[in-house]
Amino acid sequence: FLLGLSRLAKQQHLVFKSDFTMVNNRPGMLIARQQPDGHYELEMVFSFEFSSGKISRIYAMRNPDKLQAWRGSSPAPGSLAE
């Protein structure tokens, strides 16, 4: 899935950044897309559920209203904001 997104982004000349963080007490990832003015805007939030050491479920959020809570509160290490 993520490799497919990466290929699509490359074809359309889009630039994305990702950052790993905890999401709802699960390992997760934030994905932000570079805007024409150069800043990055959060596009998606993923969280991963593990079972027997393997990913068993992936939860994705793209709802702009729900993403509002994540905007402006990027995690310190590797923060998405530039």
Side-chain angles (χ1 to χ4, degrees):
F1 173 75
L2 294 176
L3 288 174
L5 285 177
S6 176
R7 287 185 193 122
L8 179 64
K10 189 174 183 179
Q11 289 172 355
Q12 296 184 8
H13 305 287
L14 300 173
V15 178
F16 287 91
K17 272 178 111 172
S18 61
D19 198 7
F20 292 95
T21 188
M22 295 300 288
V23 176
N24 297 328
N25 295 319
R26 292 186 184 104
M29 181 172 32
L30 308 177
I31 307 287
R33 182 170 54 108
Q34 188 176 34
Q35 302 301 305
D37 67 1
H39 85 279
Y40 285 84
E41 187 169 320
L42 187 62
E43 289 277 326
M44 293 177 263
V45 175
F46 292 99
S47 64
F48 306 99
E49 189 174 297
F50 288 84
S51 178
S52 301
K54 297 180 181 178
I55 295 175
S56 58
R57 292 187 179 173
I58 300 173
Y59 299 93
M61 182 184 354
R62 293 211 59 206
N63 181 326
D65 295 330
K66 292 182 178 182
L67 289 175
Q68 211 45 28
W70 286 92
R71 291 187 175 116
S73 63
S74 295
S79 175
L80 292 171
E82 286 207 339

